[in-house]
Amino acid sequence: MESNQKQLSAAFKQSSSKLALATEGILVGILAGLGAVVYRYILTYAGAWQQALYQITNFPWLIALFLFLGIMGALTGILVQLAPLSSGSGIPQVSGELLGEMSMRPLPTLFSKYLGGFMAMLAGMSLGREGPSIQIGAAISKAYTKWRKHGDLSQRILLTSGASAGLSAAFNAPIASTLFVVEEVHKNISPFILIPALLASISADLVSKWVFGLTPSFAIKMDQLLPQSSYYLIIILGLVTALVGTTFNQVLLAFQRFLQKHFPNVVVRIALGFLLTGLIVWAFPALAGSGHDLVYQYLEMPWPLKSLILVLIGKLLFTCFCYGTSTPGGIFLPTLVMGCLTGAVSFQVFSLFIDLDPDLLANFVVLGMAGVLTAVVRSPLTSMVLVLEMVGSLQNFLPVAIVAITAYLLAEALKVAPIYDSLYDRMRPLPQDHKEKEAAILEFDVPLTSSLAGKKLADLDLPQEILIASIVRGRASLVPKGATTIQAKDRLLIVTSKDHLAATKKLFREAAKT
């Protein structure tokens, strides 16, 4: 009990210094940005070498190639076996870390993520760098906060900052990266969390731009605006992208269940995944890698409609298969590529019935990205800002907003859960043995619409594991009493145990909805 009191005291002391956390957010952003830049750099080389691997097609070379793929797959499986939380994208794992239900070991996780991601890209797997970059940033931040001996609250704030910086360095989109990590991963938009995360994202973006230049991640040039007379097509596109996104979510989970059931040994599963990837990439080279270059190839020389549909279906299935093997790698960028392909397919279908300007193809490609990403992750605001930041243009904000909201509404109506929520639910939290329950501190901002507003603390009937230790109202800090009435826009400082952190977050989030 005494150690818990010391930990709480240290955490309160650290949480009181916004300036210190903001400053450390910049430092964490630089460190995480460098980590993500290194990852992006080695994957760029892996992608180039992967193309060379599959160019030679004589029989002896193919035998050597598949032997090489099998060895790489087995090594990747061993890495994942040694660091289980390095599998997949890493976004659910970071969520689990923030909820206190998972605990990754920074160095083994980083080693597995770097080497496993490199080998996956070298093999041609349809996986991206964005989710892993989030986990890389979070792992670097965790190592830093442990070295600095931070308390629980400041550790989680800086972990969020590191994750945001990792995504920013991968996408060159600092604002959207902050929104995504705070909204989707941390699931609590508080200025106390937002400011360090934003500063970290900007710092990481500067690091990334210093290495890779100022060109946006998706430099898609839109020569003209979509005429308002064609806006009804945007709504149709939003419906189509919602169907593609929700289908992807369901198929990915089905692949994951099937592969884990029939190939429970992760080393065997990943090794077989690498071998099948070799066959698929050798037969259909257009499906290799994340698909980033595929978009540019299509825009330079559009394919026939049938070929485009086949590539879209193939990309969807291949991405689901690759992710289902548990290989380190993300689905963020392949999701955006599927969005581009969906927008291109829709444009060509619309063109069969309507006289559309060919220059509008790029617009539909960008709109498709926003729609499919929204349907998959269910964060429309983040999707809109991310797509517009990546393409480096705000001119199409209204069409992007329309397609994102349309896709969101249909995906919600279909009752298909957001992919990262589903993936997290499928992961079993790591067992943690404690001599005594460790304390955890949570901040919660009371929304205007929350059912908590207007209630007295004595009427909340909170579980005994949850204690509201302080209420920040404006610039004043109140000592809570039973008769204290909670007001909208109050910031609650909540103390619970790490075992109950996830349940506590869920309890207050549910209260915010009603």
Side-chain angles (χ1 to χ4, degrees):
M1 181 62 69
E2 184 179 352
S3 63
N4 279 351
Q5 290 176 345
K6 289 181 180 179
Q7 183 183 11
L8 287 175
S9 176
F12 274 111
K13 184 178 180 181
Q14 289 173 7
S15 68
S16 65
S17 178
K18 293 182 181 180
L19 181 60
L21 279 175
T23 304
E24 288 198 276
I26 296 174
L27 178 57
V28 165
I30 294 172
L31 295 174
L34 288 171
V37 162
V38 171
Y39 186 69
R40 182 175 172 180
Y41 207 79
I42 65 174
L43 290 197
T44 301
Y45 275 103
W49 294 344
Q50 171 262 314
Q51 294 178 8
L53 277 180
Y54 290 94
Q55 284 181 353
I56 304 174
T57 57
N58 61 69
F59 186 74
W61 171 253
L62 288 177
I63 296 297
L65 172 62
F66 281 93
L67 180 62
F68 178 58
L69 290 172
I71 293 172
M72 283 203 305
L75 287 175
T76 304
I78 292 171
L79 289 173
V80 172
Q81 202 171 49
L82 295 174
L85 292 183
S86 67
S87 67
S89 73
I91 292 175
Q93 292 90 319
V94 175
S95 296
E97 186 85 34
L98 291 170
L99 290 171
E101 293 187 338
M102 299 180 188
S103 181
M104 62 180 167
R105 295 173 296 155
L107 292 181
T109 299
L110 287 170
F111 184 72
S112 176
K113 217 69 181 180
Y114 279 112
L115 187 54
F118 172 81
M119 290 190 289
M121 182 60 69
L122 187 59
M125 281 195 159
S126 181
L127 297 170
R129 64 176 182 260
E130 293 69 30
S133 296
I134 288 177
Q135 191 175 20
I136 286 169
I140 290 173
S141 175
K142 183 174 182 179
Y144 169 81
T145 54
K146 280 188 171 294
W147 172 65
R148 292 275 292 152
K149 297 181 180 179
H150 275 283
D152 180 71
L153 179 60
S154 56
Q155 186 178 110
R156 283 188 283 115
I157 290 173
L158 292 176
L159 196 77
T160 305
S161 302
S164 178
L167 183 59
S168 178
F171 264 145
N172 295 123
I175 298 174
S177 300
T178 305
L179 283 175
F180 177 79
V181 172
V182 171
E183 180 185 13
E184 177 65 27
V185 179
H186 200 285
K187 296 188 182 296
N188 182 21
I189 301 179
S190 162
F192 202 53
I193 299 165
L194 190 64
I195 298 303
L198 181 58
L199 289 172
S201 292
I202 293 172
S203 302
D205 185 49
L206 290 173
V207 172
S208 180
K209 283 185 166 64
W210 179 66
V211 176
F212 295 105
L214 300 176
T215 305
S217 182
F218 269 96
I220 300 175
K221 186 178 180 181
M222 293 175 284
D223 294 324
Q224 59 179 290
L225 297 176
L226 190 70
Q228 291 184 353
S229 59
S230 301
Y231 270 32
Y232 69 96
L233 296 177
I234 302 175
I235 297 176
I236 299 174
L237 178 61
L239 299 175
V240 173
T241 55
L243 294 175
V244 172
T246 52
T247 299
F248 172 72
N249 286 6
Q250 292 174 307
V251 174
L252 186 145
L253 294 175
F255 265 99
Q256 192 179 56
R257 284 191 296 267
F258 176 84
L259 291 171
Q260 290 180 358
K261 178 181 178 181
H262 294 282
F263 304 97
N265 186 296
V266 69
V267 178
V268 174
R269 184 167 67 245
I270 294 180
L272 288 175
F274 269 63
L275 291 172
L276 284 174
T277 292
L279 287 173
I280 293 169
V281 173
W282 180 71
F284 307 102
L287 302 180
S290 63
H292 187 273
D293 295 336
L294 188 68
V295 177
Y296 293 114
Q297 292 171 13
Y298 169 75
L299 290 173
E300 290 177 4
M301 187 177 294
W303 312 318
L305 180 59
K306 289 183 180 179
S307 300
L308 192 59
I309 293 173
L310 289 175
V311 171
L312 172 59
I313 295 172
K315 192 66 180 172
L316 188 150
L317 294 174
F318 187 39
T319 301
C320 293
F321 165 74
C322 292
Y323 193 88
T325 64
S326 302
T327 301
I331 56 173
F332 217 107
L333 189 51
T335 296
L336 292 173
V337 171
M338 285 185 284
C340 292
L341 296 173
T342 302
V345 168
S346 301
F347 176 81
Q348 290 201 18
V349 171
F350 294 153
S351 298
L352 297 176
F353 305 96
I354 305 167
D355 185 21
L356 287 175
D357 189 331
D359 288 340
L360 292 175
L361 172 61
N363 299 62
F364 278 85
V365 165
V366 172
L367 293 174
M369 275 199 293
V372 172
L373 183 61
T374 299
V376 170
V377 303
R378 216 62 51 79
S379 299
L381 180 60
T382 299
S383 301
M384 287 187 286
V385 177
L386 179 64
V387 168
L388 292 171
E389 270 194 296
M390 282 194 306
V391 300
S393 171
L394 296 175
Q395 288 183 319
N396 283 270
F397 182 83
L398 182 58
V400 168
I402 292 173
V403 76
I405 294 300
T406 304
Y408 175 83
L409 293 174
L410 180 55
E412 286 288 294
L414 293 173
K415 299 186 184 302
V416 177
I419 190 60
Y420 293 119
D421 288 353
S422 299
L423 292 172
Y424 181 74
D425 290 340
R426 286 185 51 79
M427 298 185 70
R428 302 176 65 180
L430 295 178
Q432 296 185 26
D433 298 324
H434 300 288
K435 294 180 180 179
E436 58 180 357
K437 292 185 177 181
E438 292 186 31
I441 301 175
L442 170 69
E443 278 198 338
F444 178 77
D445 289 334
V446 181
L448 293 171
T449 56
S450 174
S451 62
L452 295 174
K455 286 189 176 181
K456 294 182 179 179
L457 289 181
D459 298 332
L460 293 184
D461 192 26
L462 294 173
Q464 62 179 3
E465 298 87 4
I466 300 175
L467 170 68
I468 297 179
S470 176
I471 298 177
V472 179
R473 184 172 295 165
R475 293 187 175 273
S477 183
L478 309 180
V479 177
K481 299 179 180 179
T484 304
T485 300
I486 296 176
Q487 296 181 9
K489 302 181 73 174
D490 279 351
R491 181 175 300 154
L492 310 180
L493 196 63
I494 304 161
V495 179
T496 184
S497 67
K498 282 193 173 181
D499 293 341
H500 293 89
L501 184 58
T504 303
K505 276 196 169 188
K506 183 178 180 181
L507 176 67
F508 281 88
R509 281 203 305 268
E510 291 298 323
K513 295 179 181 178
T514 56

